[in-house]
Amino acid sequence: MPRCAPIRFCATIATRSPLVAVAWRLSASLAIARVCYSPQLEGLFLSSLLLQIQKVNAFYIDKAQELGEHLERISPIINPNSRGLAAALRTLGSGSTNFAKASPAEVLNCLMQSAQVPQETRQALALFRHLAEEVDMLRRYALLNFLGVTKVVKKHDKLSHLTLKGPLSIFVATQPFHSGVRLLNTFSSMRAFASDLVATARGGAPHQH
């Protein structure tokens, strides 16, 4: 089985996003200065916010690429048509195991625990489950940061003479962490695999993609 290094998310994941923390502090500074409008403070706010968006993009792009590469490495092993997995599914399906109403997670857990499945395939399936969890975390990371930008800009516009909502909304909508396709493709591939796995377990044929 291809060796894949464990994936570790740094402290910027989820609610510890640097964008949310730093930008809210800048909004607090604007609140203090709201009586006396300061072009310098506006410039500091905007440049710092754009810097944090750049950091979020870099983190998101690296992780999305990493997750996609891991999935590509194990895909041949976990393909329901692969010799080891297909044989195990037939054996389990013809025995006492009933996959008729099983969810993808239940089928996956059954295969990971079955001695009928080759060890390298069980390891690849375990990695697939881990990758699915990481993909979900990264999708939530992107959403939290998008909401963070929205809230920060809304707060800014209440305190400042300069309105940023319109131009920044357009800008954020084009950023990789919001519009990138790498993670979306990985997520779609994982859903297709889960669907094929259940179809094969129930005695059908995998879908053609």
Side-chain angles (χ1 to χ4, degrees):
M1 174 182 176
R3 296 180 62 84
C4 301
I7 302 169
R8 299 181 184 278
F9 278 96
C10 66
T12 56
I13 199 70
T15 55
R16 300 188 204 177
S17 162
L19 185 150
V20 176
V22 174
W24 271 113
R25 286 201 298 270
L26 290 169
S27 285
S29 298
L30 273 174
I32 297 173
R34 65 183 181 274
V35 177
C36 181
Y37 171 69
S38 169
Q40 291 79 13
L41 187 59
E42 287 285 2
L44 173 63
F45 173 85
L46 186 56
S47 62
S48 298
L49 182 58
L50 293 176
L51 176 61
Q52 296 308 315
I53 291 175
Q54 183 180 22
K55 290 180 179 180
V56 170
N57 275 329
F59 177 79
Y60 177 89
I61 291 170
D62 286 347
K63 286 301 174 185
Q65 181 69 23
E66 181 181 332
L67 292 170
E69 290 175 354
H70 277 286
L71 181 62
E72 289 169 2
R73 291 190 189 103
I74 65 173
S75 288
I77 303 173
I78 63 175
N79 188 319
N81 285 325
S82 65
R83 181 179 303 177
L85 195 52
L89 285 168
R90 286 195 300 270
T91 301
L92 290 170
S94 63
S96 59
T97 304
N98 184 3
F99 290 126
K101 297 182 179 180
S103 67
E106 290 170 337
V107 174
L108 186 64
N109 288 335
C110 180
L111 292 171
M112 289 169 52
Q113 297 170 12
S114 174
Q116 302 289 339
V117 181
Q119 182 178 1
E120 71 164 359
T121 305
R122 293 200 304 269
Q123 291 173 342
L125 290 170
L127 179 55
F128 174 84
R129 184 173 65 177
H130 176 70
L131 290 176
E133 294 170 353
E134 298 287 354
V135 166
D136 184 58
M137 287 179 64
L138 189 57
R139 292 176 70 213
R140 286 188 284 121
Y141 171 82
L143 176 60
L144 283 172
N145 278 288
F146 176 76
L147 294 176
V149 174
T150 302
K151 291 180 179 180
V152 165
V153 172
K154 182 178 180 180
K155 180 71 172 180
H156 166 275
D157 287 357
K158 286 183 178 180
L159 304 175
S160 172
H161 300 290
L162 179 65
T163 301
L164 297 178
K165 180 179 178 180
L168 266 180
S169 295
I170 297 173
F171 173 74
V172 172
T174 64
Q175 296 308 295
F177 81 90
H178 182 65
S179 61
V181 298
R182 185 66 166 107
L183 188 67
L184 178 61
N185 290 340
T186 300
F187 177 73
S188 298
S189 295
M190 287 183 152
R191 289 192 64 179
F193 164 76
S195 177
D196 288 349
L197 188 66
V198 172
T200 305
R202 293 174 180 173
H207 299 90
Q208 298 297 320
H209 305 290

